[in-house]
Amino acid sequence: MCGIVGFTGAAQAAPILLDGLARLEYRGYDSAGIAVQAENGRIEVVKAKGRLKVLQQMTDDGHAVKGVCGIGHTRWATHGEPSTRNAHPHYSREEKVAVVHNGIIENYQELKERLLKKGYTFASQTDTEVVAQLIYHYYTHEEQGDALGAIAHMMLRVRGSYALAILFADQPGTIYAVRKDSPLIVGRAEDGGILASDVPAMLKYTRTVYYIDDLEIARLTGDTIEFFNTEKEPVAHEAVTVEWDAAAAEKGGYEHFMMKEIHEQPAAVRDTVSPRIKDGRIDLSELALDEGAIQKVRRLYIIGCGSAYHVGVAARYVFEKLARLPVEVDVASEFRYRDPVLEPDSLAIVISQSGETADSLAALRGCKARGVRTVGIVNVVGSSIAREADATLYTWAGPEIAVATTKAYSTQLAACYLLATEFGRVRGVLGEERYAALVAELQALPEKIEKTLQQPERIQWFANQYAGARDVYFIGRGLDYALALEGSLKFKEISYIHSEAFAAGEMKHGPISLIEKDTLVVGALTQPDLYEKTVSNLVEAKSRGAFLMGVTTYGNYALEDIAGFTVYVPGTDPCFATSLSVVPLQLLAYYVSCAKGLDVDKPRNLAKSVTVE
C-alpha cells in the first residue's frame, strides 16, 4: 500500500516528511509528493514520478520548501498511470484543500460526474482528486467553513477504503486525518504532532502513538491531538507505546514480509472485489466488454507463469462451471512457442502480478498479432501488460515484497471469479437467484479469509514436525487439484523440500509408487461432489505408509478418522473454495521454512519479477 506522513509543529515540515517517506519505501511506490503550508496558509505542492530521491533532489532534501505544517505521500498507482500529475498530494479548486490518500474510492466515477456538472475540473485521473474537490465543495457550501462537518459529509458520500490526510489553506498549522479500513496513526513528537500510515515513519520522532479507529477524524496542531466521530463529537483515545525496532516495524510487527502479506489477503481481496460490485451487480465496464461482446466469446485462453498459471487452472474450472465456456490454460513459455491454433471470437486472459513477466508479455503480443482480444489481470498500474492489453482488470493488491506470492495469487483468483460470474449471467447460464448468491459469496470472501487466518498455532506445530521431510505430495480433484499445484509450489520454493502435486485420480497411474513410510501427503477436499473419491485416494496412500494432512471445510469431521492432521476452512460456494483453502497451505510452507531457518522472503535462485526468458 501507499505511504502517508504528516507533521505540524515548530520544526520545518518538509525534511521530516521526506525522512518519514524514506522509511516507508519498503512498501513499494511509483511516485512521491509533499504539500507544505506557508505561514499565510498557501499550500505548496511538489511531486515527482519515480523514486523518492528525485523529490529529495528537487527540494534540496526538503530545505527548499518552507513551512512547519505539511503532508507527504508515496503512491502505488491504482487509478491512472504512474505520472507526476497523478501523484499525490492533490489540490481542490483554487488550491484551498490538499489531500493525500491510501485506499480505493469505489464510487469515485459517479461523484466525479456530479462534480463535473457543478463546474469542477480535474487535473488527474485519480479517485483521490475527487475527494479533495468533494471536501472543498462541502466546506464552501453546505458546511460554511466547518472543516469537521465537510469531512464528515464527505465520509457519508464516498464508498470504499481510505486513509486521508487533509490540509485547509485557511487553517494554517492544522492537519485533519480520517480513516476507513486503511491504517492511520498519530502521535506526539518533540516538536509537534506527527501522523503516518505505518509505524516506521514515526519511530525516529516518537514511540507513543494513537491508532485512529474506523470512521473517526483526528485533528492535529503543533500542541494538540483531538479525535471526533462522524457526528463531530469528541472521542477519547489511550496512547500506545510501540516496542518494535525499525526492522520489525517495516513488517508491521511480523517476522517476515510473507507473513504480513498473508495477513493482508482479506483487505487485498476486498479491494479487488468491492469496487466492482454495485447494487448487487458486477460491473466490468472498465473492460469495455458489453453484453453483446461477452455473448460472442466462443473460447477462453488463460495464460500465466508460476502461481499465475495456477490461478488459470482454477479459473478454468470456474469458467466452465459458471459460464459454460471452453477454456484452455497455458504456461506462457509454452504457449508462445507451440504455434497455437486460436479460434475466432476468442478471448485471451493474461495473468501477471508485475505486468512485466517476459513470457506472458510475449504470449499477449502473439494473441494480439492473431487478432485475439486480450485482457490483462495485473497488479502494477502502467506495466507493459497493462498498457498493451486491450483491457486491464487491476487487482489493487498493493506492493508484494516477498518473492513467494500470496496476496497477488488471491486477488488474481478473485478477479477471475468476477469475470466468470458475470460471464455466466450474461450468457444465460446463471439465473438471478444463483447469480445473487454468488455475488453475496464474493463479498463475504474477505471475512471468511480472515476467519481462516485464526488458526496459525496448530499449523505451526504441525510444520515443526515435518520440517525435516524429504518429499511431500499434494493431491486433489477438480478445483482441489488446482489448489494442490499452488500448495506444492509454495512449499518447494521456500522450504527447499522436494514437493509435487498430482490429480488425486492419477495416483494409481504411477505416483503412488513414490509413497514410503511417513511420507507426507496433503489432501485437499473442498469439493462436495469429489469428496468421497479423494478420501479413497488418501486411504490408498495411507495404506502404503503415508502420513495424511487434510484441508477441508467445516463439517467434514469424519476426515479425522483417516488423516493424522486436519485443517478446516469456512464453507463457501465450491467454485470459490480455493480462496480459503490456499491459506493453510501458505502457512504450512511459511512455518516449515521458518523451522529450517531459511530466508523466507528471498528464497535462493528466485526473483520477484521474471523479466527475461
Side-chain angles (χ1 to χ4, degrees), residues 74-91:
T74 49
R75 175 183 188 245
W76 175 271
T78 56
H79 296 73
E81 64 185 6
S83 65
T84 300
R85 71 171 178 141
N86 288 330
H88 300 210
H90 287 288
Y91 279 129

PDB file of all heavy atoms in Angstrom, residues 74-91:
ATOM      1  N   THR A  74       3.820   8.548  -0.740  1.00  0.00           N
ATOM      2  CA  THR A  74       4.385   7.726  -1.807  1.00  0.00           C
ATOM      3  C   THR A  74       3.245   6.912  -2.385  1.00  0.00           C
ATOM      4  O   THR A  74       2.511   6.239  -1.656  1.00  0.00           O
ATOM      5  CB  THR A  74       5.484   6.783  -1.285  1.00  0.00           C
ATOM      6  OG1 THR A  74       5.023   6.096  -0.118  1.00  0.00           O
ATOM      7  CG2 THR A  74       6.746   7.552  -0.968  1.00  0.00           C
ATOM      8  N   ARG A  75       3.096   6.957  -3.718  1.00  0.00           N
ATOM      9  CA  ARG A  75       1.898   6.395  -4.371  1.00  0.00           C
ATOM     10  C   ARG A  75       2.211   5.087  -5.076  1.00  0.00           C
ATOM     11  O   ARG A  75       3.205   4.968  -5.783  1.00  0.00           O
ATOM     12  CB  ARG A  75       1.357   7.395  -5.402  1.00  0.00           C
ATOM     13  CG  ARG A  75       0.174   6.873  -6.223  1.00  0.00           C
ATOM     14  CD  ARG A  75      -0.259   7.873  -7.274  1.00  0.00           C
ATOM     15  NE  ARG A  75      -1.490   7.472  -7.935  1.00  0.00           N
ATOM     16  CZ  ARG A  75      -1.606   7.151  -9.221  1.00  0.00           C
ATOM     17  NH1 ARG A  75      -0.541   7.192 -10.014  1.00  0.00           N
ATOM     18  NH2 ARG A  75      -2.768   6.795  -9.741  1.00  0.00           N
ATOM     19  N   TRP A  76       1.319   4.117  -4.882  1.00  0.00           N
ATOM     20  CA  TRP A  76       1.274   2.903  -5.696  1.00  0.00           C
ATOM     21  C   TRP A  76       0.022   3.048  -6.546  1.00  0.00           C
ATOM     22  O   TRP A  76      -1.095   3.027  -6.049  1.00  0.00           O
ATOM     23  CB  TRP A  76       1.201   1.673  -4.791  1.00  0.00           C
ATOM     24  CG  TRP A  76       1.030   0.375  -5.519  1.00  0.00           C
ATOM     25  CD1 TRP A  76      -0.150  -0.213  -5.867  1.00  0.00           C
ATOM     26  CD2 TRP A  76       2.061  -0.502  -5.979  1.00  0.00           C
ATOM     27  NE1 TRP A  76       0.086  -1.395  -6.508  1.00  0.00           N
ATOM     28  CE2 TRP A  76       1.426  -1.606  -6.595  1.00  0.00           C
ATOM     29  CE3 TRP A  76       3.453  -0.464  -5.941  1.00  0.00           C
ATOM     30  CZ2 TRP A  76       2.145  -2.670  -7.151  1.00  0.00           C
ATOM     31  CZ3 TRP A  76       4.161  -1.517  -6.494  1.00  0.00           C
ATOM     32  CH2 TRP A  76       3.513  -2.591  -7.094  1.00  0.00           C
ATOM     33  N   ALA A  77       0.188   3.211  -7.850  1.00  0.00           N
ATOM     34  CA  ALA A  77      -0.912   3.594  -8.730  1.00  0.00           C
ATOM     35  C   ALA A  77      -2.058   2.590  -8.693  1.00  0.00           C
ATOM     36  O   ALA A  77      -1.853   1.381  -8.774  1.00  0.00           O
ATOM     37  CB  ALA A  77      -0.403   3.747 -10.157  1.00  0.00           C
ATOM     38  N   THR A  78      -3.277   3.097  -8.567  1.00  0.00           N
ATOM     39  CA  THR A  78      -4.486   2.304  -8.753  1.00  0.00           C
ATOM     40  C   THR A  78      -5.340   2.915  -9.852  1.00  0.00           C
ATOM     41  O   THR A  78      -5.665   2.258 -10.827  1.00  0.00           O
ATOM     42  CB  THR A  78      -5.293   2.187  -7.452  1.00  0.00           C
ATOM     43  OG1 THR A  78      -5.598   3.500  -6.960  1.00  0.00           O
ATOM     44  CG2 THR A  78      -4.520   1.415  -6.397  1.00  0.00           C
ATOM     45  N   HIS A  79      -5.682   4.181  -9.729  1.00  0.00           N
ATOM     46  CA  HIS A  79      -6.482   4.860 -10.740  1.00  0.00           C
ATOM     47  C   HIS A  79      -5.598   5.869 -11.470  1.00  0.00           C
ATOM     48  O   HIS A  79      -5.158   6.854 -10.889  1.00  0.00           O
ATOM     49  CB  HIS A  79      -7.669   5.581 -10.106  1.00  0.00           C
ATOM     50  CG  HIS A  79      -8.647   4.660  -9.449  1.00  0.00           C
ATOM     51  ND1 HIS A  79      -8.371   4.035  -8.255  1.00  0.00           N
ATOM     52  CD2 HIS A  79      -9.877   4.238  -9.829  1.00  0.00           C
ATOM     53  CE1 HIS A  79      -9.410   3.287  -7.921  1.00  0.00           C
ATOM     54  NE2 HIS A  79     -10.329   3.392  -8.852  1.00  0.00           N
ATOM     55  N   GLY A  80      -5.345   5.590 -12.743  1.00  0.00           N
ATOM     56  CA  GLY A  80      -4.465   6.472 -13.509  1.00  0.00           C
ATOM     57  C   GLY A  80      -3.036   5.975 -13.492  1.00  0.00           C
ATOM     58  O   GLY A  80      -2.549   5.443 -12.490  1.00  0.00           O
ATOM     59  N   GLU A  81      -2.348   6.148 -14.600  1.00  0.00           N
ATOM     60  CA  GLU A  81      -0.980   5.657 -14.749  1.00  0.00           C
ATOM     61  C   GLU A  81      -0.024   6.346 -13.783  1.00  0.00           C
ATOM     62  O   GLU A  81      -0.331   7.432 -13.285  1.00  0.00           O
ATOM     63  CB  GLU A  81      -0.508   5.926 -16.182  1.00  0.00           C
ATOM     64  CG  GLU A  81      -0.427   7.421 -16.492  1.00  0.00           C
ATOM     65  CD  GLU A  81      -0.071   7.711 -17.937  1.00  0.00           C
ATOM     66  OE1 GLU A  81       0.005   6.757 -18.724  1.00  0.00           O
ATOM     67  OE2 GLU A  81       0.121   8.885 -18.262  1.00  0.00           O
ATOM     68  N   PRO A  82       1.121   5.734 -13.504  1.00  0.00           N
ATOM     69  CA  PRO A  82       2.137   6.428 -12.708  1.00  0.00           C
ATOM     70  C   PRO A  82       2.641   7.657 -13.458  1.00  0.00           C
ATOM     71  O   PRO A  82       3.154   7.546 -14.573  1.00  0.00           O
ATOM     72  CB  PRO A  82       3.249   5.372 -12.572  1.00  0.00           C
ATOM     73  CG  PRO A  82       2.595   4.069 -12.853  1.00  0.00           C
ATOM     74  CD  PRO A  82       1.526   4.354 -13.849  1.00  0.00           C
ATOM     75  N   SER A  83       2.466   8.813 -12.890  1.00  0.00           N
ATOM     76  CA  SER A  83       2.884  10.059 -13.532  1.00  0.00           C
ATOM     77  C   SER A  83       2.906  11.165 -12.496  1.00  0.00           C
ATOM     78  O   SER A  83       2.370  11.025 -11.398  1.00  0.00           O
ATOM     79  CB  SER A  83       1.913  10.445 -14.659  1.00  0.00           C
ATOM     80  OG  SER A  83       0.626  10.746 -14.132  1.00  0.00           O
ATOM     81  N   THR A  84       3.507  12.285 -12.860  1.00  0.00           N
ATOM     82  CA  THR A  84       3.552  13.424 -11.935  1.00  0.00           C
ATOM     83  C   THR A  84       2.160  13.965 -11.669  1.00  0.00           C
ATOM     84  O   THR A  84       1.803  14.274 -10.527  1.00  0.00           O
ATOM     85  CB  THR A  84       4.459  14.523 -12.494  1.00  0.00           C
ATOM     86  OG1 THR A  84       5.778  13.996 -12.671  1.00  0.00           O
ATOM     87  CG2 THR A  84       4.520  15.709 -11.536  1.00  0.00           C
ATOM     88  N   ARG A  85       1.339  14.055 -12.706  1.00  0.00           N
ATOM     89  CA  ARG A  85       0.005  14.642 -12.497  1.00  0.00           C
ATOM     90  C   ARG A  85      -0.891  13.745 -11.646  1.00  0.00           C
ATOM     91  O   ARG A  85      -1.778  14.233 -10.947  1.00  0.00           O
ATOM     92  CB  ARG A  85      -0.677  14.951 -13.837  1.00  0.00           C
ATOM     93  CG  ARG A  85      -1.132  13.760 -14.622  1.00  0.00           C
ATOM     94  CD  ARG A  85      -1.973  14.206 -15.812  1.00  0.00           C
ATOM     95  NE  ARG A  85      -2.405  13.097 -16.624  1.00  0.00           N
ATOM     96  CZ  ARG A  85      -3.612  12.999 -17.182  1.00  0.00           C
ATOM     97  NH1 ARG A  85      -4.499  13.946 -16.988  1.00  0.00           N
ATOM     98  NH2 ARG A  85      -3.934  11.973 -17.935  1.00  0.00           N
ATOM     99  N   ASN A  86      -0.657  12.438 -11.679  1.00  0.00           N
ATOM    100  CA  ASN A  86      -1.460  11.538 -10.859  1.00  0.00           C
ATOM    101  C   ASN A  86      -0.874  11.318  -9.468  1.00  0.00           C
ATOM    102  O   ASN A  86      -1.520  10.711  -8.607  1.00  0.00           O
ATOM    103  CB  ASN A  86      -1.619  10.193 -11.559  1.00  0.00           C
ATOM    104  CG  ASN A  86      -2.554  10.271 -12.754  1.00  0.00           C
ATOM    105  OD1 ASN A  86      -3.485  11.076 -12.783  1.00  0.00           O
ATOM    106  ND2 ASN A  86      -2.308   9.444 -13.756  1.00  0.00           N
ATOM    107  N   ALA A  87       0.359  11.792  -9.246  1.00  0.00           N
ATOM    108  CA  ALA A  87       0.971  11.661  -7.932  1.00  0.00           C
ATOM    109  C   ALA A  87       0.222  12.516  -6.910  1.00  0.00           C
ATOM    110  O   ALA A  87      -0.409  13.524  -7.242  1.00  0.00           O
ATOM    111  CB  ALA A  87       2.439  12.088  -8.002  1.00  0.00           C
ATOM    112  N   HIS A  88       0.286  12.109  -5.649  1.00  0.00           N
ATOM    113  CA  HIS A  88      -0.292  12.887  -4.549  1.00  0.00           C
ATOM    114  C   HIS A  88       0.769  13.846  -4.019  1.00  0.00           C
ATOM    115  O   HIS A  88       1.966  13.587  -4.185  1.00  0.00           O
ATOM    116  CB  HIS A  88      -0.719  11.961  -3.415  1.00  0.00           C
ATOM    117  CG  HIS A  88      -1.755  10.950  -3.798  1.00  0.00           C
ATOM    118  ND1 HIS A  88      -2.686  10.458  -2.918  1.00  0.00           N
ATOM    119  CD2 HIS A  88      -2.000  10.309  -4.971  1.00  0.00           C
ATOM    120  CE1 HIS A  88      -3.451   9.557  -3.522  1.00  0.00           C
ATOM    121  NE2 HIS A  88      -3.039   9.440  -4.776  1.00  0.00           N
ATOM    122  N   PRO A  89       0.372  14.920  -3.352  1.00  0.00           N
ATOM    123  CA  PRO A  89      -0.967  15.343  -2.957  1.00  0.00           C
ATOM    124  C   PRO A  89      -1.767  15.920  -4.130  1.00  0.00           C
ATOM    125  O   PRO A  89      -1.198  16.341  -5.141  1.00  0.00           O
ATOM    126  CB  PRO A  89      -0.703  16.413  -1.892  1.00  0.00           C
ATOM    127  CG  PRO A  89       0.702  16.201  -1.460  1.00  0.00           C
ATOM    128  CD  PRO A  89       1.421  15.712  -2.676  1.00  0.00           C
ATOM    129  N   HIS A  90      -3.097  15.983  -3.926  1.00  0.00           N
ATOM    130  CA  HIS A  90      -3.988  16.573  -4.921  1.00  0.00           C
ATOM    131  C   HIS A  90      -4.684  17.793  -4.325  1.00  0.00           C
ATOM    132  O   HIS A  90      -5.129  17.784  -3.177  1.00  0.00           O
ATOM    133  CB  HIS A  90      -5.025  15.548  -5.379  1.00  0.00           C
ATOM    134  CG  HIS A  90      -4.434  14.494  -6.268  1.00  0.00           C
ATOM    135  ND1 HIS A  90      -4.043  14.748  -7.558  1.00  0.00           N
ATOM    136  CD2 HIS A  90      -4.149  13.199  -6.040  1.00  0.00           C
ATOM    137  CE1 HIS A  90      -3.548  13.647  -8.100  1.00  0.00           C
ATOM    138  NE2 HIS A  90      -3.591  12.688  -7.192  1.00  0.00           N
ATOM    139  N   TYR A  91      -4.769  18.830  -5.157  1.00  0.00           N
ATOM    140  CA  TYR A  91      -5.459  20.062  -4.777  1.00  0.00           C
ATOM    141  C   TYR A  91      -6.954  19.969  -5.087  1.00  0.00           C
ATOM    142  O   TYR A  91      -7.385  19.240  -5.989  1.00  0.00           O
ATOM    143  CB  TYR A  91      -4.940  21.225  -5.624  1.00  0.00           C
ATOM    144  CG  TYR A  91      -3.648  21.874  -5.212  1.00  0.00           C
ATOM    145  CD1 TYR A  91      -2.636  22.056  -6.157  1.00  0.00           C
ATOM    146  CD2 TYR A  91      -3.446  22.375  -3.928  1.00  0.00           C
ATOM    147  CE1 TYR A  91      -1.455  22.705  -5.839  1.00  0.00           C
ATOM    148  CE2 TYR A  91      -2.268  23.024  -3.594  1.00  0.00           C
ATOM    149  CZ  TYR A  91      -1.274  23.184  -4.549  1.00  0.00           C
ATOM    150  OH  TYR A  91      -0.107  23.831  -4.231  1.00  0.00           O
TER     151      TYR A  91
END
